[in-house]
Amino acid sequence: MDKFVIEGGRKLQGTIRVNGAKNAALPMMAASLLLEQGDRLVLRNVPNLVDIRTMGTLLGKLGVQVSRTRDVLTMSVIDDTPVIAPYEIVKKMRASICVLGPLVGRRREAKVSQPGGCVIGDRPVDLHVRGLADLGVDITMKRGYLEADASNLKGRTVYMGGAYGPSVTGTQNILMAAVLAEGTSLIECAACEPEVQALADLLNSMGARIRGIGSPRLIVEGVKNLHGTDTSVIPDRIEAATFMAAAAATRGDVRIEKCRPDHMIAPLQMFRRAGIETNQGEDWIEVHSEGSFQPIDITTLPYPGFPTDFQAQFMAVMSMGTGISIITEKIYPDRFMHVPELRRMGANIRKEGTCAIIAGVDHLVGAEVMASDLRASAGLVVAGMAAEGFTEIHRVYHIDRGYQHLERRLCELGARVSRVSEKKDLSLIRDVV
Ligand code: EPU
C-alpha cells in the first residue's frame, strides 16, 4: 500500500491538462454490451485508472474484448451470451452496476451482484430497479444478486426522482435498456449531469434515437439494433475543479487546459464568491489566488448544482478562509469523512447534521491523515499542499481510482508530493521529497 508525503507551502504555478472523465467513460464502456457481434466501439481520451481497468475486467467476463493503445480503448463483443456480473468485481467498484441496463436491453437477461456498503453513505439501487420494472422487466433480488428477465421489455414512462434527486447511473441504466426496447420511453426527472449527456450522445452516434439530451425529460424511441462508433470522452469536470482548488489553496497561478468550463458553472461561481480570481475561455480556466477567501454558503445538488464530488476539495480551501462558511450536503448526507482528517491539520470544522460549519483558520499544519474515499483523499491532497510542513496521506489507492498520476502532474506545477510505499521509513523519504 502506498502513501503520499507532501511538503506543503509551495505555490502552484504553470499549466496542467485535464484528462477524460472517469464517470463518463465507465458507462460509455458498458454501452459496448449493446453492440452486435463484430461491431467496434472506439473511445478516445479514456483515463488510465484502476476503475477503468476494473470495468475492462468486468466487460471481459461479459464477452467483450477490450484493448487499450495509449488513451484509446477499443471494445467489441465476441460472445453475447454471458449475463453475470459477479460479486468479486462489483464489490470493488459500484459503477459496475452500469452493465445492468445494457444487459437488459441487448441480452434481455442479467444477473448483477447488488453493490454493498459504501463509505460515503447509503447508496441504494432502488431507482434503477423501479425504473427497469417500469419498462416491463421482471427484476428480483436473490442471494445478493439482482436477477432480471427482460423478455417483456417495452418502451414506457419511467420516473427517476428519488429522495436525493435523480440517480446518475440509474438514468444511464434506464437509457441503455430503453434504446433497444420496442416503442417509446419517456424518462421523467432524469439526471442531467454532463456524464449522462455524454452517454446519450454516444448512444445516438450508435444509432439510438434519444431526444431532450441535457434536460430532465428524455424521450427514447426504441430501435432494433445499434452499431459501432468512434468518439471521445468529455473532460473530467471534477479533476479540473480539483486543480482549481489546489491552485487557490496554495495561492497559486495555474492555467487548466482541455477542460469544459460550461460544465463547471456552479464551482466557478463559488470560486468568484469566495473572492478567488478566475478567467476562462472555451476550454481553459485560469486561477489566480492571493489575499483571503471570503466565507461562502454552498449546498451540493444534482447538476447543474454544486457537485458533491467537489465538496471535500472546496472544504479544504474554505478551511483557510475568513469568517464562517457553511457546506450542506444534499446528495450524500454522510459524506464528511474528510472533516476529522482536516481537523487533524488544524481546520476548525463542526459537522452539524448534513452541514459542515467551517470557521476559517489562518493556516493548516501538516499531519498524518487517512484517505477514506476518492474525493476525500483529493481534499486532503489540496489541504496538504497548502499546509505548513509535511503531511502524510495513508491509503492513497483511493486516489488512483479517479486521478491518473496525480502526484506527478502536481509536481509539474511545483508541488512536492511523493508516493511512498508504506513500508519505508519516513526519515528516508524526506530526502527524496
Ligand atoms: N439513490 C437512491 N436510489 C438509487 C440510486 C441513488 O436513493 O437507486 C441516491 C443515492 O444514495 C444518493 C443520490 O441518490 O443519495 C445520488 O446517487 P446517484 O445514483 O446519482 O449516484 P451514482 O450514480 O451511484 C454517480 C457518480 C458518483 C457521484 C454521484 C452523484 C459514477 C460512476 N459515480 O454515482 O461519483 O458522487 O453520481 O453525483 O458516475 C465519485 O466519482 O467519487 C463518485 C462517487
Side-chain angles (χ1 to χ4, degrees), residues 22-23 26 95 120 122-128 164-170 172 193 308-309 331-332 335 374-375:
K22 162 186 84 88
N23 288 350
L26 291 170
I120 66 176
D122 189 22
R123 296 177 73 182
V125 288
D126 57 305
L127 296 173
H128 304 236
Y164 301 99
S167 165
V168 174
T169 49
Q172 292 167 330
E193 271 69 5
T308 173
D309 290 343
I331 306 293
Y332 298 113
R335 196 179 203 177
L374 170 57
R375 308 305 172 183

Side-chain angles (χ1 to χ4, degrees), residues 292-401:
S292 53
F293 309 137
Q294 300 310 304
I296 40 104
D297 184 347
I298 301 180
T299 301
T300 64
L301 291 169
Y303 187 84
F306 190 90
T308 173
D309 290 343
F310 184 50
Q311 183 252 102
Q313 304 89 313
F314 205 54
M315 189 184 295
V317 177
M318 294 322 296
S319 66
M320 291 169 279
T322 53
I324 307 277
S325 290
I326 299 174
I327 299 185
T328 307
E329 181 50 73
K330 285 266 176 96
I331 306 293
Y332 298 113
D334 297 321
R335 196 179 203 177
F336 288 112
M337 302 296 284
H338 41 287
V339 168
E341 304 304 307
L342 288 172
R343 270 201 222 117
R344 290 178 56 74
M345 301 177 73
N348 185 352
I349 308 173
R350 184 156 66 90
K351 183 179 167 302
E352 186 66 55
T354 60
C355 297
I357 302 166
I358 305 147
V361 295
D362 184 50
H363 60 273
L364 297 178
V365 180
E368 249 182 275
V369 291
M370 190 73 80
S372 56
D373 71 88
L374 170 57
R375 308 305 172 183
S377 325
L380 296 177
V381 172
V382 168
M385 288 189 299
E388 274 176 13
F390 285 90
T391 294
E392 284 179 54
I393 307 179
H394 298 280
R395 299 196 182 166
V396 294
Y397 58 84
H398 292 292
I399 293 253
D400 299 329
R401 297 186 57 177

Side-chain angles (χ1 to χ4, degrees), residues 15-35:
T15 299
I16 192 161
R17 301 183 119 202
V18 175
N19 286 332
K22 162 186 84 88
N23 288 350
L26 291 170
M28 289 168 90
M29 290 172 73
S32 63
L33 289 163
L34 295 165
L35 291 172

Side-chain angles (χ1 to χ4, degrees), residues 11-16 252-256 285-287 412-414:
K11 222 170 137 80
L12 297 195
Q13 276 172 319
T15 299
I16 192 161
D253 258 310
V254 174
R255 181 178 166 94
I256 298 150
I285 295 170
E286 285 171 354
V287 179
E412 283 167 13
L413 294 177

Side-chain angles (χ1 to χ4, degrees), residues 2-299:
D2 292 345
K3 64 182 171 188
F4 277 175
V5 179
I6 304 177
E7 186 187 348
R10 298 176 67 89
K11 222 170 137 80
L12 297 195
Q13 276 172 319
T15 299
I16 192 161
R17 301 183 119 202
V18 175
N19 286 332
K22 162 186 84 88
N23 288 350
L26 291 170
M28 289 168 90
M29 290 172 73
S32 63
L33 289 163
L34 295 165
L35 291 172
E36 299 295 306
Q37 285 199 43
D39 279 353
R40 286 192 327 165
L41 171 60
V42 179
L43 295 180
R44 297 171 191 277
N45 198 31
V46 181
N48 196 351
L49 299 169
V50 174
D51 277 9
I52 298 289
R53 292 194 285 277
T54 304
M55 181 57 88
T57 307
L58 176 57
L59 290 174
K61 290 232 178 292
L62 293 169
V64 180
Q65 193 171 58
V66 184
S67 63
R68 175 186 275 276
T69 313
R70 290 185 293 278
D71 69 347
V72 182
L73 282 192
T74 304
M75 281 150 288
S76 52
V77 176
I78 49 174
D79 178 4
D80 65 2
T81 56
V83 293
I84 301 174
Y87 176 65
E88 298 78 68
I89 300 182
V90 178
K91 74 175 181 199
K92 289 190 197 154
M93 184 182 72
R94 297 186 62 84
S96 306
I97 193 77
C98 289
V99 301
L100 178 61
L103 284 176
V104 159
R106 177 68 176 76
R107 300 188 187 172
R108 302 286 156 132
E109 193 186 348
K111 192 172 165 190
V112 176
S113 173
Q114 172 150 359
C118 178
V119 72
I120 66 176
D122 189 22
R123 296 177 73 182
V125 288
D126 57 305
L127 296 173
H128 304 236
V129 170
R130 272 194 266 136
L132 290 175
D134 286 342
L135 293 179
V137 179
D138 181 9
I139 182 162
T140 47
M141 246 288 277
K142 281 193 197 130
R143 295 181 50 80
Y145 278 76
L146 293 166
E147 293 195 12
D149 170 355
S151 31
N152 292 323
L153 181 72
K154 266 236 154 71
R156 291 203 177 92
T157 296
V158 177
Y159 176 67
M160 287 307 294
Y164 301 99
S167 165
V168 174
T169 49
T171 303
Q172 292 167 330
N173 263 331
I174 302 308
L175 259 181
M176 288 190 275
V179 285
L180 289 179
E182 192 195 321
T184 301
S185 300
L186 171 69
I187 309 175
E188 193 67 280
C189 204
C192 301
E193 271 69 5
E195 295 76 19
V196 178
Q197 300 178 33
L199 175 70
D201 287 336
L202 168 77
L203 294 171
N204 275 354
S205 76
M206 292 167 74
R209 291 203 192 128
I210 305 169
R211 284 180 284 136
I213 296 175
S215 82
R217 176 179 286 174
L218 296 169
I219 300 154
V220 187
E221 275 174 62
V223 296
K224 285 220 156 46
N225 45 47
L226 298 178
H227 51 75
T229 192
D230 183 331
T231 193
S232 244
V233 174
I234 56 170
D236 194 322
R237 62 195 167 104
I238 305 301
E239 188 181 82
T242 304
F243 293 145
M244 288 180 71
T250 61
R251 305 296 201 274
D253 258 310
V254 174
R255 181 178 166 94
I256 298 150
E257 291 188 338
K258 274 185 73 183
C259 60
R260 286 280 300 264
D262 59 321
H263 289 165
M264 300 169 62
I265 306 288
L268 277 161
Q269 281 300 107
M270 292 305 159
F271 273 85
R272 283 181 198 129
R273 278 190 207 169
I276 301 160
E277 190 186 323
T278 63
N279 293 305
Q280 68 193 69
E282 203 181 322
D283 63 353
W284 58 267
I285 295 170
E286 285 171 354
V287 179
H288 172 71
S289 170
E290 59 184 353
S292 53
F293 309 137
Q294 300 310 304
I296 40 104
D297 184 347
I298 301 180
T299 301

